[in-house]
Amino acid sequence: MGEFDLIARYFKRPAKRAVLGVGDDCALLQPAEGMQLAISTDMLVEGRHFFPDVDPFTLGHKALAVNLSDLAACGAQPLAFTLALAMPRADEAWLAAFSRGMFALADTHDCELVGGDTTQGPLNICITVFGEVPRGQALLRSGAQVGDDIYASGTLGEARLALDALREHAPLPDELLTLARTRLEQPTPRVALGMALRGIATAAIDVSDGLLGDLGHVLEASGVGASIDTSIAIHLIAASAQITRAEKLFSYEKMLGYVLAGGDDYELAFTAPPSARQAVQEAAQQARTPVTRIGQIEVAPGIRLHDAQGQVLPKRYASFDHFA
Ligand code: ADP
Ligand code: MG
C-alpha cells in the first residue's frame, strides 16, 4: 500500500469545522470571532513513551489524549489536529486499530484531523492540536496568587502504579491492574473542566510528569511557593483504599509517591482564590469531574508537605521528584 492510499484509507475524512482538511498543501482553519488559537504539540516515541506491543487502539487514544490535555490546561476548546507519523512498515491491522482509537476520542471532542505527514521510520507519533479560547481568557501557569487554594482533578498515581506492575516492579491483583492500566493507556483529558474554569482558576497545568514537578512549574512561573496536605492528597489514588485494605501491598510512603510524583496522569492541577470555592465546585459539577482541594499557595518558594495536624513531613518525602 502506497503512502497516499494509506492516508486516504485511514486518515482522510471529510472536513466539518475546518475550512479545508486533509489533501491540499495546507489545512485552513477559521477561529471564531474574538477567539485566540491555542496550539500544542506532543510526541510519543516507542520504547520511551509506550511499550512496543501496546494495543494500537489505546495508543491512538493516548497520542491524542495527551495533546488534548494541554488544551484543557489552557481552558481551550479543541478544534483540529495534525498527525505526523513515522512507522517501520504499513501494517494495515495496526493502522486500522490506531486510527479507530484516535478518531473515537477525536469525535467525542468534535476535534478533526486536518493534515499531517507520513513516513517510514521507527514508530513515532507526533500530534499538534489547535484549540480556541476567548481572547485573554486562556489559563496560564503564571497567575497563582499567595493565599490561593490548590486543587487537583480526578485521581493521581494509578498510571505509574500500572507501569510499575507491567514492568513487574509492583505486584497487583488482576482487577486492580485492569483499573490502573486503563488510566495509563487511555487517560481522560479534562477538557470540559478546563473550559469551565475560565475566569475562575488563576493558574493551571496538566499533570504529565507528576504533581510536584508540574505544580513546581506553576509556582516558578507565578513566583510563589506552596504547601500540600498529604493526608488529603493520599486519597487521590483511588485504588489505594482497596490496595491497603485488601492486600497491604504497598507502604504509605510508596502510595504517596505515586500520587505526588507518578506522572502520566493527565489531570489538571490549578489554583483559585478561597472566594471562588463555590464557583470551582460548580465548574467541577458542570464538567462532571471531581476536584480536590489539596493545599495553599504561599510566599516562600518551594513545596512543603504536611500532614493533617500541620506537621511538616521529613525531607525524604519532599524529594519525590526523583522518584524513578
Ligand atoms: P506534502 O507533499 O505537502 O508534504 P504530503 O504528500 O505529505 O503533502 O501529504 C498529502 C496530504 O495528506 C496533505 O494534505 C497532508 O496534510 C495529508 N497527510 C499526510 N499524512 C497524514 C496523516 N498521517 N494524517 C493526516 N493527514 C495526512
Ligand atoms: Mg509531507
Side-chain angles (χ1 to χ4, degrees):
M1 190 176 35
E3 177 188 336
F4 299 107
D5 294 333
L6 183 161
I7 295 165
R9 184 137 182 197
Y10 296 107
F11 298 122
K12 185 169 178 163
R13 305 203 305 182
K16 288 189 297 186
R17 302 168 74 194
V19 180
L20 187 65
V22 170
D24 216 304
D25 291 309
C26 289
L28 296 174
L29 300 179
Q30 179 63 62
E33 194 65 35
M35 303 296 255
Q36 290 176 318
L37 275 183
I39 303 167
S40 182
T41 297
D42 258 310
M43 182 154 58
L44 296 189
V45 177
E46 184 183 89
R48 173 91 187 101
H49 299 101
F50 57 89
F51 295 110
D53 62 348
V54 72
D55 174 0
F57 181 91
T58 66
L59 186 59
H61 173 104
K62 186 163 179 176
L64 181 58
V66 302
N67 279 278
L68 292 176
S69 180
D70 286 315
L71 290 184
C74 288
Q77 176 163 31
L79 198 58
F81 65 105
T82 60
L83 166 69
L85 183 63
M87 54 193 170
R89 62 189 177 284
D91 176 341
E92 293 215 47
W94 189 93
L95 278 161
F98 175 83
S99 62
R100 269 195 302 115
M102 183 183 71
F103 281 129
L105 181 63
D107 289 345
T108 65
H109 292 281
D110 208 10
C111 184
E112 59 187 334
L113 179 60
V114 293
D117 201 18
T118 306
T119 179
Q120 198 193 11
L123 188 55
N124 189 324
I125 303 153
C126 182
I127 287 181
T128 298
V129 279
F130 303 84
E132 52 181 21
V133 60
R135 186 176 299 131
Q137 285 190 40
L139 305 177
L140 306 179
R141 297 178 178 188
S142 53
Q145 303 286 322
V146 172
D148 279 356
D149 296 321
I150 301 169
Y151 296 85
S153 69
T155 65
L156 293 173
E158 291 141 339
R160 180 54 184 268
L161 180 62
L163 192 63
D164 279 4
L166 292 171
R167 287 170 169 166
E168 298 178 346
H169 295 164
L172 264 197
D174 279 353
E175 83 276 22
L176 286 180
L177 178 58
T178 304
L179 179 155
R181 195 170 178 166
T182 305
R183 296 283 293 146
L184 174 67
E185 293 180 349
Q186 294 188 273
T188 307
R190 301 303 190 183
V191 171
L193 180 63
M195 289 170 63
L197 288 171
R198 287 176 192 161
I200 298 170
T202 48
I205 192 166
D206 67 317
V207 181
S208 53
D209 296 334
L211 178 67
L212 293 185
D214 288 321
L215 181 62
H217 296 312
V218 168
L219 302 180
E220 198 170 324
S222 302
V224 294
S227 67
I228 302 283
D229 185 339
T230 54
S231 71
I232 297 173
I234 187 72
H235 297 296
L236 290 172
I237 183 155
S240 75
Q242 302 172 47
I243 288 172
T244 46
R245 195 177 50 234
E247 310 291 335
K248 296 239 186 295
L249 290 174
F250 303 107
S251 65
Y252 177 86
E253 188 170 346
K254 179 118 181 155
M255 297 309 294
L256 196 56
Y258 284 126
V259 171
L260 297 178
D264 246 3
D265 301 296
Y266 302 101
E267 295 292 352
L268 297 186
F270 61 95
T271 58
S275 60
R277 282 180 190 172
Q278 176 88 21
V280 167
Q281 288 310 324
E282 282 166 11
Q285 260 163 30
Q286 191 191 320
R288 297 174 193 279
T289 308
V291 303
T292 308
R293 185 154 50 84
I294 56 170
Q296 230 87 47
I297 295 294
E298 297 176 343
V299 176
I303 302 179
R304 286 155 293 285
L305 304 175
H306 65 85
D307 65 16
Q309 285 74 45
Q311 197 77 11
V312 176
L313 268 63
K315 262 276 187 288
R316 67 196 155 95
Y317 282 92
S319 62
F320 275 134
D321 46 337
H322 304 299
F323 185 15

